[in-house]
Amino acid sequence: MPEGDSVYRAAAQLHQALSGQVLTAADLRVPAHATADLRGRLVLETVPRGKHLLTRFEGGVTLHTHLRMDGRWQVFPTGQRWTGGPAFQIRAVLGNERSTAVGYRLPVVELLRTAEEERAVGHLGPDLLGADWDADEARRRLLAAPERPIGEALLDQRNLAGIGNVYANELCFLAGVTPWTPVGEVAVLDRLLARARQILDANKLRNGHVTTGDTRPGRQNWVYGRSRRTCDRCGTPIRTTAHAEDRPAYWCPSCQRGPTPQ
């Protein structure tokens, strides 16, 4: 599942390509909206909400999409051949005279009234990249289940929106705790939340989820994707196993304290 910064960039790309323009092409290739015709509507904006994308049109209509694991929006100059995948994977097309946005493998494509967007995203916790980010509320939600493993709790978008598995692992490393440490035992929870917002903000307009400050390939992360490689801090081999929903967990046995799988 993409991190919130990737979704932020996707929203920025869609906003630049479509906003302020009238749709000359629109095709939603999902059964529920196959007959919907958005052509002739002015696109107002595309905004991210956690890992969700909301494209708003005049007339109080919103297209809600979600990328999940494999979805992707790709923008092409209108008239150029689309190269993001086979045609059967296309779920949505929005185009104007200048640009065409093509949504590949989108698992969620939903039209709804703009006034009813909360039905789609109202369950989300505070958005790390939102203007209304509320660290106190995110902390309250996390501590509502103090026995829950911190790695799992960070991935729960109802607690705070925008963290995926890369950042969940990296934030645990930076906090010096294993992903299985109960939330209530994370003494630096406030610092962890501040670091989460800092990291997502730093990466929102560039490719790569850099947590080390080093953008060179292979040097961008402390533990994620580095199984059996040595920790850049202490030289201990990084370990890996599955955690929440069978996602891979990575940790340094020396730099991180707390419970680990037997």
Side-chain angles (χ1 to χ4, degrees), residues 11 105 140 149 170 206 219:
R105 302 172 296 280
R140 184 192 70 77
E170 293 294 290
R206 68 181 177 193
R219 305 291 291 273

Side-chain angles (χ1 to χ4, degrees), residues 80-95:
Q80 179 177 306
R81 180 173 174 267
W82 303 341
T83 57
F88 72 84
Q89 293 182 347
I90 296 172
R91 297 290 178 268
V93 179
L94 301 174

